[in-house]
Amino acid sequence: MHTERIRLASLHDKVMSAAEAASLIEDGMTVGMSGFACAGDAKAVPFALVERASREPLRISLVTGASLGNSLDKHMAESGLLARRMPFQADPALRKAINAGEVMFIDQHLSETVEQMRSHQLKRPDITVIEAVAITEDGHIVPSASVGNSANLAEFAEQVIVEISLRYGSNLEGLHDIYIPPHRPERPPIPLVSVDQRIGNTAIPIDPARIAAIVISEYSDSPSKVLPADADTQAIANHLIGFFANEVEHGRLPRNLGPLQVGVGSIANAVMAGLVDSPFENLSMYSEVLQDSTFELFDAGKLDFASGSAIVLSETRGAQVFGDFERYKERLVLRPQEISNHPEVARRLGIIGINTALEFDIYGNVNSTHVGGTHMMNGIGGSGDFARNAQLAIFVTKSIAKDGAISSVVPMVSHVDHTEHDVDILVTEQGLADLRGLAPRERARVIIDNCVHPAYREALSGYFAAACERGGQTPHLLEEALSWHINLDKRGHMLAAD
């Protein structure tokens, strides 16, 4: 018995196998699970559910914080376990099932899911499964490497299953700041006025009578698969550093820039790591996912404090950070994602949001989610929470993909996640386009001149000139606006001729 991890003695008889705990979940249930970008996800019980689904009818609606690790979404999708999934995913097998219409995927802003559950606009979970490092003397749950939606999903569920992870040390206790907003319309303001402030509890408060099962887990989190920086991502970082330096020089940003939010993935992580060699110091982060670059900046003495909802690291960096966690712990906090991504907090703190685009068009509309306008990639995640409310909404991407067959800058995006009204700065390795205060025709010229790959610049300039001859506040040739996507689909290259 792991009494040092389960400190409420009355819960000791709730310890059982993963299969026994999974038997509490019935066909047709809505199930909440911990997990955010491969960190802190429940593992033993989901694998037991996959095994059950292989031999009996079992379909669930699954709600998490974000994507899951250990190929859990893959196994759940391929076993037929998933009927519905929300609010974010990043697995190729699940993506295939979603695009085939086999799994109904609800793509949501990450700050909104539990808010809609709170007001009964979404069905609340029947059972929630939470990975934890401990259960306190009061029966409260100490999460592992993420908070995500765990606190709210535990609060809303009729029953809770706790997976005690032995792969994390109990020294994670004290890392978390669990603040759950009261119900509207009597809700007071969220009392968070600085990045390093703590306003809640260090564990998820819950009536221990609702803990139906406890499973001891030996599973590890999946390591991040971020790629190292390359010449293109370094060029993007250099463009941003130059832009920030100019903003500081003209008094539009403080010398420490203000709280930084950085999206998930190799490009955003590499761009953030580029700040290691920048002139900026005493940086802070108010973000969702704290990646390798966060700890590179800590080690370089550039970063003072980081607030997020999950810690997601590569294998090497994870071993280093969690092997020497006390070195970082006092400069870190993990919050529920409705707080880390809260629009009002982001606007009030003056967040600089740096997120990744799949593509953007000549007027500044950004597609973050759908390949060719129809096929889901991962989801909008938290990029919309920050883009509309950040002091600066920045989107980065490489100018071309697939060996030049795809231009990331197009006449018209095939799907819009972030409208031109929400986008301030666009950056590729070619250059940076500052769109603030510009009308659509002015935006188009700045984007084409600064962000487009040379192989596509003449074609985009020709499209824009022809559209301007036709007229309009936002000129387009509607019969040609999506022709690049059609070319790619039919001929394998955006500029392929008939």
Side-chain angles (χ1 to χ4, degrees):
M1 178 65 65
H2 298 276
T3 55
E4 75 282 2
R5 297 291 190 113
I6 308 169
R7 304 202 297 266
L8 181 60
S10 62
L11 291 176
H12 290 173
D13 62 356
K14 296 292 182 70
V15 176
M16 63 185 70
S17 70
E20 290 172 318
S23 69
L24 299 172
I25 297 172
E26 300 174 1
D27 184 46
M29 277 187 169
T30 296
V31 178
M33 286 187 187
S34 64
F36 193 109
C38 303
D41 38 14
K43 304 169 184 73
V45 172
F47 277 124
L49 287 172
V50 169
E51 195 280 327
R52 264 184 66 198
S54 69
R55 53 185 170 79
E56 65 180 79
L58 183 62
R59 299 266 284 170
I60 64 170
S61 296
L62 179 62
V63 186
T64 63
S67 54
L68 302 178
N70 285 283
S71 298
L72 280 168
D73 274 325
K74 164 186 168 67
H75 294 301
M76 288 190 284
E78 292 180 343
S79 69
L81 176 64
L82 297 181
R84 304 178 74 82
R85 178 76 170 87
M86 64 187 301
F88 187 84
Q89 57 77 44
D91 181 83
L94 176 54
R95 184 182 306 141
K96 181 179 178 182
I98 290 168
N99 289 321
E102 298 164 3
V103 176
M104 295 295 104
F105 178 59
I106 299 91
D107 181 26
Q108 278 198 311
H109 298 299
L110 294 188
S111 67
E112 288 189 345
T113 305
V114 294
E115 188 75 278
Q116 291 186 3
M117 283 186 177
R118 185 176 288 118
S119 56
H120 296 279
Q121 298 176 63
L122 290 175
K123 186 181 184 304
R124 296 182 174 189
D126 300 290
I127 292 181
T128 289
V129 190
I130 304 291
E131 183 181 79
V133 296
I135 298 175
T136 71
E137 294 84 352
D138 296 320
H140 297 174
I141 301 168
V142 181
S144 58
S146 74
V147 179
N149 281 329
S150 298
N152 305 86
L153 294 175
E155 176 191 18
F156 296 150
E158 296 175 14
Q159 293 181 301
V160 177
I161 299 170
V162 181
E163 290 191 10
I164 299 293
S165 171
L166 301 183
R167 292 295 183 177
Y168 282 110
S170 57
N171 63 346
L172 266 65
E173 189 165 354
L175 170 67
H176 313 91
D177 185 44
I178 311 299
Y179 178 85
I180 300 177
H183 287 251
R184 295 179 290 204
E186 294 83 12
R187 180 184 300 171
I190 295 171
L192 184 67
V193 296
S194 65
V195 169
D196 58 356
Q197 186 181 0
R198 294 173 183 270
I199 60 174
N201 302 306
T202 57
I204 297 171
I206 184 176
D207 179 356
R210 290 197 291 117
I211 297 179
I214 300 172
V215 176
I216 306 301
S217 172
E218 294 278 359
Y219 287 98
S220 299
D221 278 342
S222 294
S224 166
K225 297 179 180 178
V226 293
L227 299 173
D230 58 25
D232 287 341
T233 57
Q234 186 59 55
I236 293 171
N238 291 342
H239 294 315
L240 267 178
I241 290 168
F243 168 76
F244 289 148
N246 186 65
E247 292 296 291
V248 171
E249 181 181 348
H250 286 84
R252 291 188 288 267
L253 285 178
R255 297 197 65 82
N256 68 347
L257 303 182
L260 299 167
Q261 176 269 326
V262 184
V264 179
S266 297
I267 295 179
N269 180 71
V271 169
M272 189 68 176
L275 293 175
V276 167
D277 297 318
S278 76
F280 311 113
E281 297 180 342
N282 303 118
L283 300 173
S284 65
M285 290 187 68
Y286 191 84
S287 196
E288 307 163 300
V289 178
L290 308 181
Q291 302 178 91
D292 285 24
S293 56
T294 301
F295 296 89
E296 291 178 45
L297 288 167
F298 273 138
D299 292 346
K302 294 285 189 176
L303 183 64
D304 288 348
F305 198 90
S307 168
S309 195
I311 299 174
V312 181
L313 303 174
S314 64
E315 186 171 5
T316 301
R317 178 61 72 172
Q320 179 262 315
V321 168
F322 290 111
D324 189 18
F325 195 62
E326 295 304 320
R327 176 182 174 189
Y328 303 101
K329 184 175 177 179
E330 294 305 312
R331 294 181 288 169
L332 294 169
V333 65
L334 296 184
R335 312 182 193 275
Q337 68 195 64
E338 72 167 334
I339 303 301
S340 70
N341 292 39
H342 198 282
E344 189 274 332
V345 175
R347 178 161 292 193
R348 182 159 40 80
L349 292 181
I351 301 297
I352 296 175
I354 305 171
N355 290 284
T356 305
L358 282 180
E359 63 178 5
F360 56 85
D361 66 26
I362 58 175
Y363 298 114
N365 300 289
V366 173
N367 173 14
S368 295
T369 58
H370 285 75
V371 176
T374 59
H375 281 61
M376 171 60 65
M377 179 58 74
N378 297 331
I380 195 169
S383 57
D385 295 323
F386 294 103
R388 179 155 289 186
N389 300 286
Q391 177 181 189
L392 283 173
I394 301 168
F395 283 89
V396 299
T397 187
K398 296 184 180 184
S399 65
I400 55 173
K402 301 295 184 183
D403 296 321
I406 297 173
S407 172
S408 299
V409 192
V410 294
M412 177 186 283
V413 288
S414 55
H415 175 91
V416 181
D417 292 295
H418 313 285
T419 74
E420 60 176 296
H421 312 290
D422 300 330
V423 179
D424 298 313
I425 309 294
L426 294 170
V427 195
T428 71
E429 80 285 357
Q430 300 296 321
L432 182 147
D434 183 348
L435 308 181
R436 295 172 297 176
L438 300 183
R441 293 188 187 218
E442 296 169 315
R443 284 175 167 235
R445 194 69 268 161
V446 169
I447 290 170
I448 293 169
D449 291 345
N450 289 282
C451 295
V452 179
H453 191 275
Y456 285 89
R457 196 170 294 149
E458 183 180 351
L460 266 181
S461 292
Y463 174 88
F464 177 57
C468 287
E469 288 183 9
R470 187 171 295 182
Q473 192 257 356
T474 306
H476 267 302
L477 306 175
L478 292 182
E479 70 278 13
E480 296 181 21
L482 295 176
S483 62
W484 290 22
H485 299 89
I486 295 169
N487 279 340
L488 180 66
D489 182 54
K490 291 184 175 180
R491 303 176 185 93
H493 196 289
M494 280 191 165
L495 292 186
D498 287 318

